[in-house]
Amino acid sequence: MFGKRTNVVALLLLLCTGVLAPVSAQMDDEVSILYWQAASILNPYLSGGTKDLHASSIILEPLARYDENGGLVPTLVDEIPTLDNGGISEDLTSITWTLSEGLLWSDGTPVTSADVVFTWEYCVHPDAGCNALSNFADVENVEAMDDLTVTVTFSVSKPFPYGPFVSQVSPIIQAAQFADCVGANAPNCTDQNFGPTGTGPYMVEEFRANDVITYVPNPNYREEGKPYFQRVIFKGGGDAESAARAVLETGEADYAWNLQIAPAVLNSMEAAGNGTVVVAYGTGVERLMMNQTNPDPDLGEDRSIYMGGDNAHPFLTHDAVWQALSMAIDRNVIAGQLYGAAGRASCNVLAAPAIYASMANDGCLTQDIAGANALLDEAGILDSDGDGVRELDGVPLRILYQTSTNAVRQSTQALIKQWWAEIGVETELRNIDAAVFFGGDPASPDTYGKFYADIEMYTNGFSGTDPESYMGNWVCGEVSGPDNNWLGNNIPRWCNMDYEALVEQMSQTAAIEDRASLAMQMNDMLVTSGIMIPLVHRGDVSAIANSLDGVRMNAWDSELWNIADWTRMG
């Protein structure tokens, strides 16, 4: 859609200033994708940021992925292993995958089972800080049976064995390329992490971290005649509104992701007739993460470090405090006014699929400022000096509340700050550029994994429809810290042996009703322990140019999962 040079310059100006430069004749050999949260790395094992996962998914592929209906579909294999076809052992302790014949990496070398084995070894290395470690839970061994066959053996019966090498979070990487990037050296391999060799429809031509990625077709892609476009421009930066405008109003871009924009603004843009807004509900929930450790800068290297539970937060671990904070929030106002059709008020961190959604916490849907004040009064957490701020054991309830830079998130922050002021809690608001906040740079003090704040807000969810790996994110071994380059998924730094037992039990439970019961118990424990405060079950909102065909919006995996099928109409 863009002329290769002039139109990209115009888009950059639009994203930075909201003003569109004059554009020369457009070309149909490019597709332009706007992820205003710019990609910072193309190795999904070293970043949990959605924008990095999606940018990587154009290049790197798993053995199987989820389609737009949440169904598991083969990618680098011809069929999904099951009990019926003999791919899963009768005792549920192993699964055997057979690679499709003739698969090539983009450099022309064969894809073999050795690459699959290496991918496992790469992630589970104790010094790697792998973000996808929970996908390999209970994996005892990954063995190449021949060049195309690989068997994953689990230490326990695994009723749902589709964690390893499935979905955008667990793709196959090339052993030859990453051979010297194992363990502590993984983050240092810039060439590999910025330009991985893959099997996907496109490969990297140029990568500029936190800015723009240019992809060109993979000459060895397995599907003849695909992909359609000769170049993909994946542009980051700007904000959600400018990205939406580029697709819906000006027609200067083809696809805009994560349009967390006030409904009235988005609807007015769509009325221009150049594009369509699409919404898909998956597992994403906007939530407040409650730091269980002390983020005081005076602690130096011990700031926000778990330390075996000896570095507890001075007041967020008190039940009356976090309960009052939750009670003071009007989730229906946030969902209705700020999200519209793309948000539903939620009291659960596990809000979908429906079979897993608990109703035990629905009381949070009713705001109760008076009740929150009464709760704090009864707990003796009072404003003793009359400055409007309550204290707990002499520590004022002053909160640093951070999130990424986004108009809807800043509006959410402003509402919550106002409500918390009504219960005697003072709040300092901070917003950080999304590319930095969701990045995986271990040297940055501003990442969500570093969590140098009391409370932070973002959306998280999981690929596919089974929550076992996702619920395993909050085990003790996933606590984010320097030992895993702050890439652990347990962002609040919470450790509970009862929760660990439920995770273990689910890993050995086959019946879907029993798995659902266990998942609900884990959800309820997370919510009623004050680890996180769910706000809104978010639909994924994107905009698609009317000229773009073949896009199948997917809330269960990467939104770019079928980019090989995208074409231009007319």
Side-chain angles (χ1 to χ4, degrees):
M1 187 170 181
F2 294 137
K4 288 183 178 63
R5 190 174 187 87
T6 306
N7 289 342
V8 170
V9 172
L11 178 61
L12 290 174
L13 182 60
L14 172 65
L15 286 171
C16 295
T17 68
V19 177
L20 183 64
V23 181
S24 60
Q26 296 174 340
M27 301 176 64
D28 285 342
D29 64 348
E30 285 186 2
V31 62
S32 56
I33 300 173
L34 303 184
Y35 271 55
W36 54 275
Q37 294 178 13
S40 56
I41 193 171
L42 291 175
N43 183 345
Y45 290 111
L46 299 183
S47 176
T50 302
K51 38 87 176 184
D52 297 329
L53 296 178
H54 287 194
S56 304
S57 72
I58 299 175
I59 309 161
L60 299 173
E61 298 181 305
L63 299 180
R65 55 164 49 110
Y66 294 93
D67 65 16
E68 74 272 31
N69 299 311
L72 199 58
V73 293
T75 304
L76 298 180
V77 297
D78 293 330
E79 66 175 353
I80 304 295
T82 65
L83 273 171
D84 290 341
N85 64 25
I88 298 176
S89 65
E90 291 292 333
D91 63 0
L92 307 179
T93 60
S94 69
I95 181 171
T96 298
W97 298 86
T98 301
L99 292 165
S100 301
E101 292 188 4
L103 290 176
L104 297 176
W105 293 104
S106 59
D107 64 5
T109 59
V111 179
T112 73
S113 55
D115 295 303
V116 183
V117 174
F118 174 81
T119 299
W120 168 65
E121 294 172 340
Y122 175 89
C123 184
V124 301
H125 191 288
D127 299 324
C130 179
N131 185 73
L133 200 58
S134 61
N135 284 72
F136 294 94
D138 302 314
V139 174
E140 190 172 72
N141 191 35
V142 178
E143 182 179 3
M145 312 308 291
D146 57 42
D147 283 348
L148 298 181
T149 309
V150 62
T151 296
V152 180
T153 303
F154 300 95
S155 58
V156 296
S157 295
K158 208 71 173 173
F160 189 85
Y162 304 114
F165 316 119
V166 173
S167 87
Q168 60 177 330
V169 299
S170 188
I172 309 305
I173 58 176
Q174 188 188 51
Q177 184 185 29
F178 283 87
D180 296 327
C181 303
V182 177
N185 198 42
N188 302 324
C189 291
T190 303
D191 291 344
Q192 292 86 341
N193 294 331
F194 284 6
T197 300
T199 58
Y202 294 96
M203 59 186 189
V204 176
E205 181 180 63
E206 181 182 17
F207 178 79
R208 283 185 274 167
N210 300 318
D211 186 4
V212 65
I213 310 167
T214 303
Y215 304 86
V216 293
N218 172 2
N220 295 297
Y221 188 56
R222 63 188 173 278
E223 295 189 55
E224 188 175 353
K226 296 182 182 179
Y228 173 82
F229 294 99
Q230 293 305 303
R231 181 170 274 98
V232 175
I233 304 297
F234 186 105
K235 181 70 186 79
D239 54 43
E241 288 196 22
S242 62
R245 187 176 300 112
V247 174
L248 299 173
E249 287 190 344
T250 69
E252 289 303 313
D254 296 303
Y255 191 94
W257 163 83
N258 191 23
L259 303 182
Q260 198 174 12
I261 302 169
V265 175
L266 199 56
N267 292 340
S268 67
M269 290 183 185
E270 189 177 24
N274 290 317
T276 303
V277 175
V278 290
V279 180
Y281 273 94
T283 62
V285 173
E286 185 87 346
R287 83 288 300 275
L288 302 177
M289 292 301 223
M290 317 293 282
N291 199 338
Q292 302 299 288
T293 61
N294 194 339
D296 187 344
D298 290 342
L299 292 175
E301 292 184 356
D302 291 337
R303 182 185 188 186
S304 285
I305 303 298
Y306 178 59
M307 297 173 63
D310 292 333
N311 191 29
H313 194 281
F315 56 80
L316 286 181
T317 54
H318 193 291
D319 286 345
V321 174
W322 70 258
Q323 287 172 6
L325 294 175
S326 179
M327 292 166 65
I329 296 170
D330 193 331
R331 292 162 175 80
N332 292 301
V333 166
I334 295 173
Q337 293 186 7
L338 303 183
Y339 288 86
R344 305 163 180 162
S346 179
C347 298
N348 297 314
V349 68
L350 180 58
I355 190 174
Y356 297 109
S358 171
M359 292 183 290
N361 312 296
D362 286 356
C364 93
L365 296 176
T366 301
Q367 184 187 39
D368 188 2
I369 295 283
N373 275 311
L375 180 64
L376 292 170
D377 289 344
E378 291 167 9
I381 304 172
L382 307 173
D383 175 13
S384 61
D385 55 11
D387 64 352
V389 181
R390 295 176 183 265
E391 303 97 25
L392 172 63
D393 297 330
V395 178
L397 302 193
R398 291 193 171 96
I399 287 172
L400 175 58
Y401 168 17
Q402 70 181 20
T403 188
S404 62
T405 304
N406 171 278
V408 171
R409 286 200 165 122
Q410 270 68 81
S411 295
T412 302
Q413 282 185 303
L415 286 171
I416 290 177
K417 176 178 180 176
Q418 175 186 328
W419 292 325
W420 284 350
E422 295 179 41
I423 64 170
V425 177
E426 184 178 289
T427 310
E428 177 187 348
L429 303 181
R430 183 174 186 235
N431 64 84
I432 302 165
D433 179 84
V436 176
F437 185 67
F438 294 112
D441 183 358
S444 172
D446 297 323
T447 65
Y448 79 107
K450 223 38 151 338
F451 204 172
Y452 282 172
D454 302 291
I455 292 174
E456 63 185 10
M457 179 175 68
Y458 56 86
T459 289
N460 203 350
F462 58 95
S463 300
T465 58
D466 187 89
E468 181 180 329
S469 294
Y470 179 64
M471 301 311 286
N473 283 342
W474 295 286
V475 297
C476 304
E478 283 283 349
V479 166
S480 184
D483 56 331
N484 53 32
N485 289 320
W486 288 274
L487 292 172
N489 290 299
N490 189 341
I491 303 301
R493 288 91 155 122
W494 180 66
C495 186
N496 184 292
M497 291 300 105
D498 291 336
Y499 188 87
E500 304 262 330
L502 291 174
V503 171
E504 176 68 19
Q505 188 177 350
M506 188 174 187
S507 72
Q508 303 175 46
T509 300
I512 186 65
E513 297 84 0
D514 295 334
R515 290 174 67 78
S517 175
L518 289 166
M520 288 185 207
Q521 289 179 59
M522 284 185 272
N523 170 84
D524 294 347
M525 187 177 293
L526 291 170
V527 173
T528 60
S529 296
I531 309 309
M532 57 192 76
I533 297 177
L535 300 174
V536 177
H537 180 198
R538 280 185 57 191
D540 295 338
V541 184
S542 293
I544 303 171
N546 290 335
S547 65
L548 195 61
D549 195 24
V551 179
R552 289 149 64 190
M553 180 66 171
N554 191 338
W556 307 105
D557 209 305
S558 167
E559 287 188 24
L560 309 179
W561 72 289
N562 77 323
I563 195 170
D565 299 327
W566 292 12
T567 60
R568 180 83 65 202
M569 292 186 290

